[in-house]
mmCIF file of all heavy atoms in Angstrom:
data_model
loop_
_atom_site.group_PDB
_atom_site.id
_atom_site.type_symbol
_atom_site.label_atom_id
_atom_site.label_comp_id
_atom_site.label_asym_id
_atom_site.label_seq_id
_atom_site.Cartn_x
_atom_site.Cartn_y
_atom_site.Cartn_z
ATOM 1 N N GLN A 162 178.797 64.233 323.193
ATOM 2 C CA GLN A 162 178.266 62.877 323.050
ATOM 3 C C GLN A 162 177.464 62.740 321.757
ATOM 4 O O GLN A 162 177.599 61.746 321.031
ATOM 5 C CB GLN A 162 177.387 62.554 324.255
ATOM 6 C CG GLN A 162 176.759 61.182 324.220
ATOM 7 C CD GLN A 162 175.965 60.894 325.481
ATOM 8 O OE1 GLN A 162 176.210 61.464 326.529
ATOM 9 N NE2 GLN A 162 174.989 60.011 325.384
ATOM 10 N N ALA A 163 176.655 63.735 321.461
ATOM 11 C CA ALA A 163 175.801 63.678 320.271
ATOM 12 C C ALA A 163 176.602 63.790 318.976
ATOM 13 O O ALA A 163 176.118 63.396 317.911
ATOM 14 C CB ALA A 163 174.752 64.784 320.332
ATOM 15 N N SER A 164 177.816 64.321 319.048
ATOM 16 C CA SER A 164 178.602 64.553 317.832
ATOM 17 C C SER A 164 179.401 63.333 317.387
ATOM 18 O O SER A 164 179.881 63.281 316.255
ATOM 19 C CB SER A 164 179.556 65.730 318.039
ATOM 20 O OG SER A 164 180.621 65.378 318.911
ATOM 21 N N VAL A 165 179.559 62.340 318.260
ATOM 22 C CA VAL A 165 180.405 61.186 317.937
ATOM 23 C C VAL A 165 179.783 60.332 316.826
ATOM 24 O O VAL A 165 178.605 59.967 316.902
ATOM 25 C CB VAL A 165 180.634 60.313 319.189
ATOM 26 C CG1 VAL A 165 181.445 59.063 318.830
ATOM 27 C CG2 VAL A 165 181.343 61.105 320.276
ATOM 28 N N ASP A 166 180.575 60.061 315.796
ATOM 29 C CA ASP A 166 180.160 59.096 314.770
ATOM 30 C C ASP A 166 181.417 58.463 314.175
ATOM 31 O O ASP A 166 182.526 58.666 314.694
ATOM 32 C CB ASP A 166 179.282 59.744 313.691
ATOM 33 C CG ASP A 166 179.968 60.860 312.936
ATOM 34 O OD1 ASP A 166 181.205 60.786 312.746
ATOM 35 O OD2 ASP A 166 179.290 61.816 312.513
ATOM 36 N N ALA A 167 181.254 57.715 313.110
ATOM 37 C CA ALA A 167 182.376 56.966 312.544
ATOM 38 C C ALA A 167 183.498 57.869 312.050
ATOM 39 O O ALA A 167 184.657 57.441 311.962
ATOM 40 C CB ALA A 167 181.885 56.085 311.398
ATOM 41 N N ASN A 168 183.163 59.124 311.739
ATOM 42 C CA ASN A 168 184.153 60.051 311.201
ATOM 43 C C ASN A 168 184.509 61.170 312.179
ATOM 44 O O ASN A 168 185.289 62.053 311.848
ATOM 45 C CB ASN A 168 183.624 60.668 309.891
ATOM 46 C CG ASN A 168 184.692 61.383 309.097
ATOM 47 O OD1 ASN A 168 185.763 60.843 308.849
ATOM 48 N ND2 ASN A 168 184.403 62.612 308.695
ATOM 49 N N THR A 169 183.921 61.120 313.373
ATOM 50 C CA THR A 169 184.051 62.246 314.295
ATOM 51 C C THR A 169 184.425 61.786 315.703
ATOM 52 O O THR A 169 183.720 60.968 316.305
ATOM 53 C CB THR A 169 182.732 63.047 314.377
ATOM 54 O OG1 THR A 169 182.328 63.421 313.061
ATOM 55 C CG2 THR A 169 182.911 64.289 315.231
ATOM 56 N N ARG A 170 185.523 62.331 316.196
ATOM 57 C CA ARG A 170 185.907 62.139 317.593
ATOM 58 C C ARG A 170 185.431 63.344 318.398
ATOM 59 O O ARG A 170 185.250 64.442 317.863
ATOM 60 C CB ARG A 170 187.425 62.010 317.730
ATOM 61 C CG ARG A 170 188.027 60.802 317.068
ATOM 62 C CD ARG A 170 189.537 60.913 316.981
ATOM 63 N NE ARG A 170 190.154 61.061 318.313
ATOM 64 C CZ ARG A 170 191.442 61.380 318.486
ATOM 65 N NH1 ARG A 170 192.217 61.641 317.432
ATOM 66 N NH2 ARG A 170 191.937 61.475 319.707
ATOM 67 N N ALA A 171 185.231 63.117 319.687
ATOM 68 C CA ALA A 171 184.847 64.202 320.588
ATOM 69 C C ALA A 171 185.686 64.069 321.854
ATOM 70 O O ALA A 171 185.810 62.991 322.422
ATOM 71 C CB ALA A 171 183.365 64.134 320.927
ATOM 72 N N VAL A 172 186.268 65.196 322.304
ATOM 73 C CA VAL A 172 187.218 65.163 323.410
ATOM 74 C C VAL A 172 186.881 66.234 324.445
ATOM 75 O O VAL A 172 186.707 67.416 324.108
ATOM 76 C CB VAL A 172 188.661 65.397 322.913
ATOM 77 C CG1 VAL A 172 189.637 65.432 324.088
ATOM 78 C CG2 VAL A 172 189.070 64.326 321.914
ATOM 79 N N MET A 173 186.773 65.813 325.703
ATOM 80 C CA MET A 173 186.732 66.755 326.820
ATOM 81 C C MET A 173 188.163 66.888 327.317
ATOM 82 O O MET A 173 188.771 65.920 327.772
ATOM 83 C CB MET A 173 185.816 66.241 327.936
ATOM 84 C CG MET A 173 185.785 67.142 329.160
ATOM 85 S SD MET A 173 185.292 68.856 328.811
ATOM 86 C CE MET A 173 183.560 68.617 328.400
ATOM 87 N N PHE A 174 188.699 68.082 327.206
ATOM 88 C CA PHE A 174 190.107 68.338 327.495
ATOM 89 C C PHE A 174 190.222 69.150 328.776
ATOM 90 O O PHE A 174 189.846 70.318 328.821
ATOM 91 C CB PHE A 174 190.753 69.091 326.333
ATOM 92 C CG PHE A 174 192.251 69.126 326.360
ATOM 93 C CD1 PHE A 174 192.993 68.314 325.527
ATOM 94 C CD2 PHE A 174 192.925 69.979 327.215
ATOM 95 C CE1 PHE A 174 194.382 68.347 325.535
ATOM 96 C CE2 PHE A 174 194.306 70.028 327.244
ATOM 97 C CZ PHE A 174 195.041 69.203 326.401
ATOM 98 N N PHE A 175 190.735 68.524 329.837
ATOM 99 C CA PHE A 175 190.933 69.214 331.109
ATOM 100 C C PHE A 175 192.339 69.811 331.132
ATOM 101 O O PHE A 175 193.336 69.093 331.203
ATOM 102 C CB PHE A 175 190.736 68.259 332.279
ATOM 103 C CG PHE A 175 189.316 67.789 332.439
ATOM 104 C CD1 PHE A 175 188.954 66.485 332.142
ATOM 105 C CD2 PHE A 175 188.337 68.673 332.870
ATOM 106 C CE1 PHE A 175 187.644 66.058 332.283
ATOM 107 C CE2 PHE A 175 187.022 68.261 333.015
ATOM 108 C CZ PHE A 175 186.679 66.952 332.723
ATOM 109 N N CYS A 176 192.401 71.129 331.061
ATOM 110 C CA CYS A 176 193.663 71.864 331.101
ATOM 111 C C CYS A 176 193.942 72.232 332.555
ATOM 112 O O CYS A 176 193.239 73.075 333.136
ATOM 113 C CB CYS A 176 193.574 73.106 330.227
ATOM 114 S SG CYS A 176 195.101 74.069 330.141
ATOM 115 N N VAL A 177 194.951 71.611 333.135
ATOM 116 C CA VAL A 177 195.231 71.801 334.566
ATOM 117 C C VAL A 177 196.007 73.097 334.753
ATOM 118 O O VAL A 177 197.152 73.235 334.300
ATOM 119 C CB VAL A 177 196.000 70.596 335.133
ATOM 120 C CG1 VAL A 177 196.384 70.857 336.585
ATOM 121 C CG2 VAL A 177 195.140 69.342 335.029
ATOM 122 N N PHE A 178 195.376 74.009 335.458
ATOM 123 C CA PHE A 178 195.936 75.342 335.682
ATOM 124 C C PHE A 178 196.402 75.512 337.131
ATOM 125 O O PHE A 178 196.271 76.591 337.706
ATOM 126 C CB PHE A 178 194.881 76.396 335.331
ATOM 127 C CG PHE A 178 195.074 77.023 333.974
ATOM 128 C CD1 PHE A 178 195.850 76.422 332.994
ATOM 129 C CD2 PHE A 178 194.477 78.234 333.655
ATOM 130 C CE1 PHE A 178 196.028 77.002 331.753
ATOM 131 C CE2 PHE A 178 194.646 78.840 332.418
ATOM 132 C CZ PHE A 178 195.430 78.211 331.466
ATOM 133 N N HIS A 179 196.957 74.468 337.701
ATOM 134 C CA HIS A 179 197.441 74.507 339.082
ATOM 135 C C HIS A 179 198.690 73.640 339.152
ATOM 136 O O HIS A 179 198.642 72.443 338.865
ATOM 137 C CB HIS A 179 196.364 73.977 340.023
ATOM 138 C CG HIS A 179 196.607 74.249 341.480
ATOM 139 N ND1 HIS A 179 197.754 73.858 342.133
ATOM 140 C CD2 HIS A 179 195.849 74.874 342.413
ATOM 141 C CE1 HIS A 179 197.690 74.225 343.388
ATOM 142 N NE2 HIS A 179 196.558 74.848 343.583
ATOM 143 N N MET A 180 199.812 74.233 339.552
ATOM 144 C CA MET A 180 201.078 73.506 339.556
ATOM 145 C C MET A 180 201.123 72.388 340.593
ATOM 146 O O MET A 180 201.980 71.499 340.520
ATOM 147 C CB MET A 180 202.223 74.489 339.799
ATOM 148 C CG MET A 180 202.471 75.450 338.651
ATOM 149 S SD MET A 180 203.102 74.631 337.165
ATOM 150 C CE MET A 180 204.766 74.221 337.693
ATOM 151 N N GLY A 181 200.224 72.404 341.556
ATOM 152 C CA GLY A 181 200.213 71.380 342.589
ATOM 153 C C GLY A 181 199.415 70.149 342.221
ATOM 154 O O GLY A 181 199.346 69.196 343.009
ATOM 155 N N ILE A 182 198.810 70.115 341.042
ATOM 156 C CA ILE A 182 197.952 68.998 340.631
ATOM 157 C C ILE A 182 198.720 68.054 339.703
ATOM 158 O O ILE A 182 199.321 68.496 338.725
ATOM 159 C CB ILE A 182 196.692 69.524 339.917
ATOM 160 C CG1 ILE A 182 195.800 70.277 340.904
ATOM 161 C CG2 ILE A 182 195.918 68.378 339.266
ATOM 162 C CD1 ILE A 182 194.592 70.937 340.276
ATOM 163 N N ASP A 183 198.672 66.742 340.026
ATOM 164 C CA ASP A 183 199.358 65.738 339.213
ATOM 165 C C ASP A 183 198.424 64.637 338.707
ATOM 166 O O ASP A 183 198.875 63.703 338.036
ATOM 167 C CB ASP A 183 200.495 65.103 340.006
ATOM 168 C CG ASP A 183 201.652 66.075 340.220
ATOM 169 O OD1 ASP A 183 201.959 66.848 339.284
ATOM 170 O OD2 ASP A 183 202.229 66.096 341.322
ATOM 171 N N SER A 184 197.151 64.700 339.037
ATOM 172 C CA SER A 184 196.147 63.794 338.486
ATOM 173 C C SER A 184 194.795 64.479 338.610
ATOM 174 O O SER A 184 194.629 65.413 339.416
ATOM 175 C CB SER A 184 196.135 62.441 339.203
ATOM 176 O OG SER A 184 195.821 62.592 340.574
ATOM 177 N N VAL A 185 193.820 64.027 337.821
ATOM 178 C CA VAL A 185 192.520 64.709 337.763
ATOM 179 C C VAL A 185 191.396 63.686 337.903
ATOM 180 O O VAL A 185 191.481 62.575 337.370
ATOM 181 C CB VAL A 185 192.353 65.472 336.426
ATOM 182 C CG1 VAL A 185 190.993 66.176 336.370
ATOM 183 C CG2 VAL A 185 193.486 66.479 336.243
ATOM 184 N N CYS A 186 190.348 64.080 338.629
ATOM 185 C CA CYS A 186 189.146 63.259 338.740
ATOM 186 C C CYS A 186 187.919 64.163 338.651
ATOM 187 O O CYS A 186 188.036 65.387 338.585
ATOM 188 C CB CYS A 186 189.128 62.473 340.053
ATOM 189 S SG CYS A 186 188.848 63.494 341.517
ATOM 190 N N VAL A 187 186.751 63.546 338.654
ATOM 191 C CA VAL A 187 185.500 64.299 338.624
ATOM 192 C C VAL A 187 185.049 64.569 340.061
ATOM 193 O O VAL A 187 185.077 63.671 340.906
ATOM 194 C CB VAL A 187 184.405 63.521 337.876
ATOM 195 C CG1 VAL A 187 183.109 64.317 337.859
ATOM 196 C CG2 VAL A 187 184.847 63.221 336.463
ATOM 197 N N ALA A 188 184.635 65.796 340.328
ATOM 198 C CA ALA A 188 184.129 66.150 341.656
ATOM 199 C C ALA A 188 182.648 65.791 341.734
ATOM 200 O O ALA A 188 181.774 66.657 341.723
ATOM 201 C CB ALA A 188 184.351 67.637 341.930
ATOM 202 N N GLY A 189 182.364 64.500 341.826
ATOM 203 C CA GLY A 189 180.981 64.041 341.857
ATOM 204 C C GLY A 189 180.227 64.455 343.089
ATOM 205 O O GLY A 189 178.993 64.561 343.061
ATOM 206 N N ASP A 190 180.947 64.717 344.173
ATOM 207 C CA ASP A 190 180.281 65.177 345.392
ATOM 208 C C ASP A 190 179.778 66.605 345.236
ATOM 209 O O ASP A 190 178.782 66.995 345.855
ATOM 210 C CB ASP A 190 181.233 65.089 346.587
ATOM 211 C CG ASP A 190 182.511 65.884 346.366
ATOM 212 O OD1 ASP A 190 183.021 65.913 345.221
ATOM 213 O OD2 ASP A 190 183.028 66.473 347.342
ATOM 214 N N ILE A 191 180.457 67.387 344.407
ATOM 215 C CA ILE A 191 180.041 68.772 344.159
ATOM 216 C C ILE A 191 178.915 68.825 343.141
ATOM 217 O O ILE A 191 177.950 69.572 343.307
ATOM 218 C CB ILE A 191 181.241 69.615 343.683
ATOM 219 C CG1 ILE A 191 182.279 69.739 344.818
ATOM 220 C CG2 ILE A 191 180.789 71.000 343.221
ATOM 221 C CD1 ILE A 191 183.546 70.453 344.403
ATOM 222 N N ASP A 192 179.021 68.034 342.084
ATOM 223 C CA ASP A 192 178.022 68.039 341.007
ATOM 224 C C ASP A 192 177.781 66.602 340.535
ATOM 225 O O ASP A 192 178.372 66.159 339.538
ATOM 226 C CB ASP A 192 178.485 68.915 339.845
ATOM 227 C CG ASP A 192 177.379 69.182 338.843
ATOM 228 O OD1 ASP A 192 176.344 68.493 338.901
ATOM 229 O OD2 ASP A 192 177.549 70.087 337.998
ATOM 230 N N PRO A 193 176.924 65.837 341.241
ATOM 231 C CA PRO A 193 176.638 64.455 340.836
ATOM 232 C C PRO A 193 176.098 64.348 339.415
ATOM 233 O O PRO A 193 176.383 63.373 338.712
ATOM 234 C CB PRO A 193 175.595 64.000 341.860
ATOM 235 C CG PRO A 193 175.737 64.926 343.017
ATOM 236 C CD PRO A 193 176.187 66.235 342.447
ATOM 237 N N ALA A 194 175.326 65.342 338.990
ATOM 238 C CA ALA A 194 174.755 65.298 337.641
ATOM 239 C C ALA A 194 175.849 65.416 336.584
ATOM 240 O O ALA A 194 175.751 64.813 335.507
ATOM 241 C CB ALA A 194 173.721 66.407 337.463
ATOM 242 N N TYR A 195 176.890 66.186 336.869
ATOM 243 C CA TYR A 195 178.009 66.298 335.928
ATOM 244 C C TYR A 195 178.731 64.959 335.817
ATOM 245 O O TYR A 195 179.075 64.510 334.721
ATOM 246 C CB TYR A 195 178.983 67.389 336.352
ATOM 247 C CG TYR A 195 180.100 67.602 335.355
ATOM 248 C CD1 TYR A 195 179.942 68.491 334.297
ATOM 249 C CD2 TYR A 195 181.293 66.887 335.443
ATOM 250 C CE1 TYR A 195 180.950 68.665 333.353
ATOM 251 C CE2 TYR A 195 182.300 67.049 334.510
ATOM 252 C CZ TYR A 195 182.128 67.944 333.469
ATOM 253 O OH TYR A 195 183.111 68.114 332.526
ATOM 254 N N ARG A 196 178.949 64.309 336.949
ATOM 255 C CA ARG A 196 179.610 63.004 336.933
ATOM 256 C C ARG A 196 178.803 62.008 336.103
ATOM 257 O O ARG A 196 179.360 61.260 335.304
ATOM 258 C CB ARG A 196 179.789 62.477 338.350
ATOM 259 C CG ARG A 196 180.463 61.105 338.429
ATOM 260 C CD ARG A 196 180.569 60.630 339.874
ATOM 261 N NE ARG A 196 181.243 59.345 339.945
ATOM 262 C CZ ARG A 196 180.671 58.175 339.753
ATOM 263 N NH1 ARG A 196 179.364 58.129 339.445
ATOM 264 N NH2 ARG A 196 181.361 57.050 339.839
ATOM 265 N N GLN A 197 177.492 62.002 336.284
ATOM 266 C CA GLN A 197 176.647 61.083 335.526
ATOM 267 C C GLN A 197 176.711 61.395 334.036
ATOM 268 O O GLN A 197 176.784 60.484 333.200
ATOM 269 C CB GLN A 197 175.206 61.159 336.023
ATOM 270 C CG GLN A 197 174.248 60.193 335.330
ATOM 271 C CD GLN A 197 174.658 58.740 335.480
ATOM 272 O OE1 GLN A 197 175.143 58.334 336.533
ATOM 273 N NE2 GLN A 197 174.464 57.949 334.430
ATOM 274 N N ALA A 198 176.678 62.673 333.699
ATOM 275 C CA ALA A 198 176.755 63.066 332.292
ATOM 276 C C ALA A 198 178.086 62.644 331.688
ATOM 277 O O ALA A 198 178.151 62.229 330.525
ATOM 278 C CB ALA A 198 176.567 64.575 332.155
ATOM 279 N N LEU A 199 179.154 62.733 332.478
ATOM 280 C CA LEU A 199 180.453 62.336 331.970
ATOM 281 C C LEU A 199 180.519 60.822 331.745
ATOM 282 O O LEU A 199 181.073 60.347 330.748
ATOM 283 C CB LEU A 199 181.562 62.791 332.919
ATOM 284 C CG LEU A 199 182.977 62.586 332.388
ATOM 285 C CD1 LEU A 199 183.850 63.790 332.711
ATOM 286 C CD2 LEU A 199 183.613 61.324 332.964
ATOM 287 N N LEU A 200 179.942 60.056 332.663
ATOM 288 C CA LEU A 200 179.897 58.605 332.481
ATOM 289 C C LEU A 200 179.145 58.236 331.210
ATOM 290 O O LEU A 200 179.570 57.358 330.444
ATOM 291 C CB LEU A 200 179.241 57.944 333.696
ATOM 292 C CG LEU A 200 180.065 57.905 334.982
ATOM 293 C CD1 LEU A 200 179.203 57.423 336.144
ATOM 294 C CD2 LEU A 200 181.274 56.992 334.818
ATOM 295 N N GLU A 201 178.021 58.894 330.976
ATOM 296 C CA GLU A 201 177.239 58.625 329.773
ATOM 297 C C GLU A 201 178.018 59.011 328.516
ATOM 298 O O GLU A 201 177.964 58.313 327.493
ATOM 299 C CB GLU A 201 175.913 59.382 329.846
ATOM 300 C CG GLU A 201 174.988 58.866 330.947
ATOM 301 C CD GLU A 201 173.759 59.736 331.149
ATOM 302 O OE1 GLU A 201 173.617 60.729 330.400
ATOM 303 O OE2 GLU A 201 172.957 59.434 332.056
ATOM 304 N N ALA A 202 178.744 60.128 328.601
ATOM 305 C CA ALA A 202 179.550 60.563 327.462
ATOM 306 C C ALA A 202 180.663 59.562 327.165
ATOM 307 O O ALA A 202 180.936 59.240 326.006
ATOM 308 C CB ALA A 202 180.128 61.950 327.734
ATOM 309 N N LEU A 203 181.315 59.063 328.211
ATOM 310 C CA LEU A 203 182.358 58.056 328.027
ATOM 311 C C LEU A 203 181.808 56.807 327.353
ATOM 312 O O LEU A 203 182.419 56.252 326.432
ATOM 313 C CB LEU A 203 182.977 57.696 329.379
ATOM 314 C CG LEU A 203 183.999 58.670 329.963
ATOM 315 C CD1 LEU A 203 184.333 58.288 331.401
ATOM 316 C CD2 LEU A 203 185.268 58.686 329.113
ATOM 317 N N ASP A 204 180.640 56.369 327.806
ATOM 318 C CA ASP A 204 180.012 55.178 327.219
ATOM 319 C C ASP A 204 179.692 55.379 325.742
ATOM 320 O O ASP A 204 179.690 54.428 324.960
ATOM 321 C CB ASP A 204 178.726 54.824 327.980
ATOM 322 C CG ASP A 204 179.009 54.209 329.336
ATOM 323 O OD1 ASP A 204 180.145 53.756 329.563
ATOM 324 O OD2 ASP A 204 178.091 54.198 330.180
ATOM 325 N N ALA A 205 179.427 56.634 325.373
ATOM 326 C CA ALA A 205 179.081 56.946 323.982
ATOM 327 C C ALA A 205 180.310 57.177 323.102
ATOM 328 O O ALA A 205 180.171 57.415 321.899
ATOM 329 C CB ALA A 205 178.174 58.164 323.929
#
Side-chain angles (χ1 to χ4, degrees):
Q162 179 177 336
S164 72
V165 177
D166 61 33
N168 193 50
T169 306
R170 295 167 59 190
V172 177
M173 177 57 69
F174 194 103
F175 292 109
C176 182
V177 175
F178 259 19
H179 193 304
M180 291 292 289
I182 292 175
D183 289 322
S184 61
V185 180
C186 71
V187 180
D190 57 323
I191 294 175
D192 192 346
Y195 184 88
R196 179 182 182 277
Q197 182 59 38
L199 188 138
L200 287 171
E201 293 172 2
L203 281 170
D204 286 343

